[in-house]
Amino acid sequence: MTVELTFDFMVEIQFLWKGRLPMALWDEIARQKNEIYRSLEPREDNPDLLTGSKIMSVEARRFDVLFASDPAQNDVADDIRSLIVIVIEELK
């Protein structure tokens, strides 16, 4: 299985243009993408959408990261799964 990782546009802005999120978090999400994908579960209100969250720590900061995957966008023939980071909130 190959997990194709993407980031919501607003999340990318926080990383790349505003500098609010450390690039080490981006790297850590990429490192754990397969594990994260396997932990996703169907939503009760929309069983066709897989979601999940994970608390991640980098550079002495903690973040709650929300993930989603739409199985309809997966490439089953080539065993490619989509994973998108949709929201990141820093925890105090």
Side-chain angles (χ1 to χ4, degrees):
M1 171 178 72
T2 301
V3 176
E4 184 176 88
L5 179 64
T6 57
F7 292 80
D8 178 83
F9 181 71
M10 295 306 292
V11 173
E12 276 192 26
I13 287 174
Q14 292 180 39
F15 275 110
L16 303 174
W17 290 288
K18 294 190 176 188
R20 290 185 183 155
L21 299 172
M23 290 308 295
L25 178 60
W26 183 299
D27 295 340
E28 187 62 19
I29 293 168
R31 189 181 71 73
Q32 294 186 36
K33 67 183 181 180
N34 290 340
E35 172 189 328
I36 292 165
Y37 181 83
R38 285 190 293 273
S39 72
L40 299 179
E41 297 181 352
R43 289 180 53 119
E44 288 184 22
D45 62 334
N46 183 356
D48 293 333
L49 183 65
L50 303 174
T51 61
S53 65
K54 184 170 179 92
I55 304 294
M56 305 183 86
S57 297
V58 295
E59 298 180 358
R61 296 166 65 187
R62 291 174 18 109
F63 302 90
D64 186 11
V65 186
L66 183 61
F67 302 92
S69 180
D70 180 356
Q73 294 182 358
N74 291 342
D75 181 350
V76 179
D78 292 325
D79 202 20
I80 299 172
R81 309 293 186 226
S82 68
L83 177 65
I84 185 166
V85 177
I86 54 176
V87 175
I88 299 177
E89 293 184 15
E90 186 164 7
L91 303 173
K92 300 292 179 183

